[in-house]
Amino acid sequence: MSNSTENSASGTASITKEPTSSSLQNDLLLHLNTHNKLNTWSYANEHNIDHQLVIGTFRSIQSMGDIVRMEQETSRSIAPTDEGKILIDNGSYEYNLFQAVPADKGIEQPELMKLPNANIGFAKAMSNGWLEVDKSCKPAIVKRKVDNVHDEVKNLLMRIQSLQLSDPNAKEVVDLKKRKLVKDDVVNYFIVTKSAGFSTNIAKGEAELTADMLQTGSWKSLNFKQYNFNAKGMIPSYGCLHPLLKVRTEYRQIFLEMGFTEMPTNNYVENSFWNFDALFTPQKHPARDAQDTFFLSDPAITTKLPTDYLEKVKQVHSTGAFGSIGYQYDWQLEEAQKNVLRTHTTAVSTRMLYKLAQEKTFRPAKYFSIDKVFRNENLDATHLAEFHQIEGLIADYNLTLGDLIGILYEFFRKLGMTKLRFKPAYNPYTEPSMEIFSYHEGLKKWIEVGNSGMFRPEMLLPMGLPENVSVIAWGLSLERPTMILYGINNIRDLIGPKVDLEMCRENPICRVIPAKVEN
Ligand code: PHE
């Protein structure tokens, strides 16, 4: 760009000289002294000073006391468009085209038309009467009709840019606007007048009261700068919750409202006994394979397991017990001792139920947790090897599948999901088991939202829970609803080094699933 004019909403003139702030302050006050009134926009243009600098200087004069008054006004103006600015640099298309026509013999038309923007240039040059076409030759020859031309378009654009021409309704301006070389612009400027404390000789006020001023008493005669209560403060840097934690907060709130107690989930490392065996998951189950589960190498095993309970679990797996024939296989202690990264928070639920069963008399309980689990997954756009599970369970006398369905409706209704469907499923530790689907009003389709079931007697009775106590439970992932809520398609935009901190800061706490709640 040859010229730095940038006709912004506040209007900025060409910057050719930049006065020091104190000399500008002086100039402005002297100008006001003689003229009584100053238009910041005209002053900036006449003196080729940045308009914002003029406004800023008056603002700082204002901060020193009641010296000047500023009243904002707005006017329409015009400015060259980006294309207009290119023409200021390079000349108009018609002018360049005329120059490309040799004065004596002319030029073959196809050759001339190879110039950039030749079509517009040719049409304009013809209607200006600059050129003529001799069609008697093949191809036709374009010749000059006049000896010399002035690049009037470029001149106009330059006058507009330097604000010598600012009437949006002038005829020549309207033409340029049609050609999209000029656009309307709004200028906000100030009319500045003298105020009660006006003087051309203002001392910069003191900004700070020092110990020295107090000791010498000099503060009494000093002029102190006024506080500027309109100044914008610095935006303090602040922390924010990650979207996953925002959604977790929302889920936690729902569980707490429903009277659930949060389970302690602060152990990522679990042993196979609590993660699988206690959940009646046979030792040859594919989930217990290294392909699906992360096994720890150090420490590879746990030896601290509750002996009596372990014996009952072994029995129910191998020979059968508590009315079940079990799986009839050779259960191995070594397999149960293996440490793993927990594959589900149901391991925590199991520990909590066992603890509950050890109490003298059974008391009904409602537990929930929201924490991380780990699986040896193939990584793709929606799967990582770790994710968060949301889990809820209720232990009470004589609960039925109807209770489970009822509580699921209540839970998901609080999330804004009112249409549910259930599909029979299989988990080693629940019978019956159901996958939960919900109709997503935003996505307009049924999506799987979780897994659920009634814990099997083979899991509950070895713990020592009374026979007429049943436990209903369900689990879902935290990532899935979070990605849907925040419109995130790739898990790597939610977790890992590519996460945009601004995204975390700017995203509000999400209302979970905006659905029409039916009564
Ligand atoms: N543990 C199950 C899973 O990982 C979820 C679940 C929890 C299912 C409780 C039934 C009951 O998918």
Side-chain angles (χ1 to χ4, degrees):
M1 264 206 291
S2 68
N3 193 308
S4 57
T5 296
E6 190 76 67
N7 261 1
S8 66
S10 57
T12 313
S14 319
I15 304 162
T16 50
K17 67 168 193 224
E18 220 47 91
T20 65
S21 60
S22 66
S23 83
L24 178 60
Q25 182 176 303
N26 246 351
D27 293 348
L28 292 174
L29 290 171
L30 286 173
H31 187 101
L32 203 54
N33 197 31
T34 26
H35 297 87
N36 290 321
K37 200 174 183 180
L38 186 151
N39 175 324
T40 56
W41 178 233
S42 324
Y43 187 94
N45 294 330
E46 279 157 26
H47 295 82
N48 264 343
I49 307 169
D50 176 23
H51 185 212
Q52 286 309 316
L53 187 64
V54 174
I55 296 175
T57 306
F58 273 123
R59 287 253 182 260
S60 84
I61 292 173
Q62 271 193 323
S63 75
M64 295 175 205
D66 187 20
I67 301 160
V68 293
R69 248 193 309 273
M70 296 173 76
E71 256 162 66
Q72 190 174 344
E73 294 194 0
T74 300
S75 80
R76 273 180 71 208
S77 181
I78 42 172
T81 59
D82 286 345
E83 190 183 4
K85 286 179 194 165
I86 293 172
L87 265 59
I88 291 176
D89 288 350
N90 302 339
S92 69
Y93 308 134
E94 52 268 41
Y95 181 80
N96 294 339
L97 194 99
F98 179 85
Q99 296 302 337
V101 178
D104 44 358
K105 52 184 181 357
I107 183 169
E108 289 184 355
Q109 191 169 14
E111 194 53 34
L112 183 66
M113 298 314 277
K114 285 183 188 160
L115 283 184
N117 297 296
N119 282 341
I120 308 173
F122 185 73
K124 292 286 172 197
M126 288 298 285
S127 74
N128 287 352
W130 294 353
L131 299 174
E132 59 190 352
V133 187
D134 180 354
K135 287 190 176 149
S136 64
C137 321
K138 278 258 156 4
I141 301 282
V142 180
K143 290 185 178 153
R144 289 190 180 187
K145 213 170 153 182
V146 291
D147 292 339
N148 242 322
V149 296
H150 291 291
D151 196 348
E152 193 50 34
V153 167
K154 175 175 165 165
N155 286 343
L156 278 171
L157 286 169
M158 281 168 63
R159 283 174 59 212
I160 288 166
Q161 188 168 47
S162 63
L163 301 154
Q164 292 163 32
L165 179 58
S166 58
D167 175 7
N169 302 317
K171 186 190 163 310
E172 57 269 52
V173 172
V174 173
D175 271 359
L176 293 184
K177 264 205 247 172
K178 274 193 207 139
R179 288 182 70 175
K180 297 211 164 48
L181 298 174
V182 166
K183 61 175 190 263
D184 285 325
D185 201 25
V186 172
V187 184
N188 293 318
Y189 59 96
F190 289 88
I191 299 295
V192 187
T193 48
K194 295 175 183 171
S195 201
F198 181 83
S199 154
T200 50
N201 195 6
I202 48 167
K204 207 171 164 47
E206 300 291 338
E208 244 177 286
L209 178 66
T210 64
D212 201 40
M213 290 173 191
L214 289 172
Q215 265 162 11
T216 60
S218 69
W219 64 271
K220 288 179 202 155
S221 55
L222 284 172
N223 178 25
F224 284 92
K225 223 175 147 181
Q226 300 281 314
Y227 280 109
N228 177 6
F229 294 109
N230 295 322
K232 285 211 173 97
M234 285 215 310
I235 296 175
S237 63
Y238 57 93
C240 60
L241 284 185
H242 184 276
L244 274 178
L245 297 184
K246 289 178 187 160
V247 177
R248 185 175 74 170
T249 309
E250 189 98 0
Y251 275 94
R252 175 179 276 144
Q253 197 53 42
I254 286 168
F255 274 117
L256 292 173
E257 274 172 24
M258 291 173 70
F260 283 69
T261 306
E262 189 160 13
M263 298 186 275
T265 47
N266 52 345
N267 60 310
Y268 292 165
V269 174
E270 186 53 276
N271 53 61
S272 295
F273 178 75
W274 287 109
N275 197 82
F276 296 121
D277 295 285
L279 282 121
F280 198 51
T281 304
Q283 295 192 324
K284 283 273 169 329
H285 192 282
R288 304 184 66 155
D289 206 280
Q291 247 97 56
D292 284 318
T293 297
F294 292 115
F295 286 87
L296 257 71
S297 49
D298 186 18
I301 61 159
T302 301
T303 47
K304 273 202 302 199
L305 295 170
T307 339
D308 285 359
Y309 176 45
L310 183 122
E311 211 40 57
K312 289 180 186 139
V313 169
K314 174 181 174 174
Q315 231 181 18
V316 84
H317 277 246
S318 51
T319 58
F322 307 101
S324 164
I325 59 160
Y327 293 119
Q328 305 290 322
Y329 72 104
D330 185 15
W331 187 88
Q332 299 288 323
L333 176 64
E334 294 71 35
E335 201 54 46
Q337 286 177 330
K338 286 180 182 169
N339 282 333
V340 298
L341 291 180
R342 71 170 173 231
T343 62
H344 52 183
T345 43
T346 317
V348 180
S349 306
T350 310
R351 280 182 181 267
M352 290 300 285
L353 285 172
Y354 174 72
K355 224 170 133 193
L356 192 67
Q358 304 320 297
E359 287 178 17
K360 256 205 212 101
T361 44
F362 171 78
R363 58 174 177 92
K366 290 155 108 178
Y367 292 133
F368 80 96
S369 70
I370 308 171
D371 209 346
K372 229 176 228 190
V373 300
F374 305 84
R375 289 183 195 175
N376 199 355
E377 297 262 9
N378 284 330
L379 311 188
D380 64 27
T382 50
H383 292 90
L384 291 180
E386 54 179 86
F387 62 98
H388 291 75
Q389 262 189 345
I390 304 166
E391 176 141 336
L393 66 103
I394 305 178
D396 206 342
Y397 294 107
N398 303 317
L399 291 173
T400 65
L401 191 67
D403 291 305
L404 175 59
I405 292 175
I407 197 87
L408 288 175
Y409 266 109
E410 192 185 340
F411 176 76
F412 284 99
R413 188 183 57 80
K414 283 183 179 282
L415 295 166
M417 296 184 238
T418 51
K419 292 180 193 158
L420 298 185
R421 276 181 184 168
F422 304 99
K423 185 175 144 189
Y426 172 77
N427 298 307
Y429 40 90
T430 51
E431 183 57 37
S433 315
M434 305 186 298
E435 276 169 6
I436 312 158
F437 290 78
S438 164
Y439 187 76
H440 192 286
E441 301 287 351
L443 302 175
K444 297 257 171 281
K445 62 175 178 186
W446 288 93
I447 54 169
E448 193 191 330
V449 289
N451 184 1
S452 66
M454 302 188 65
F455 285 138
R456 294 184 75 110
E458 286 94 332
M459 170 178 168
L460 301 180
L461 295 179
M463 293 176 173
L465 284 171
E467 269 191 40
N468 53 351
V469 164
S470 16
V471 180
I472 55 180
W474 68 100
L476 47 147
S477 103
L478 179 65
E479 278 74 1
R480 198 176 157 85
T482 304
M483 287 175 74
I484 295 173
L485 280 171
Y486 286 93
I488 295 171
N489 296 323
N490 195 318
I491 190 99
R492 288 175 180 84
D493 294 330
L494 187 66
I495 297 159
K498 287 194 184 149
V499 173
D500 176 7
L501 282 182
E502 278 312 300
M503 177 276 289
C504 295
R505 233 188 278 272
E506 282 165 15
N507 269 327
I509 295 205
C510 241
R511 285 259 350 272
V512 178
I513 318 254
K516 287 178 261 146
V517 178
E518 289 160 10
N519 293 314

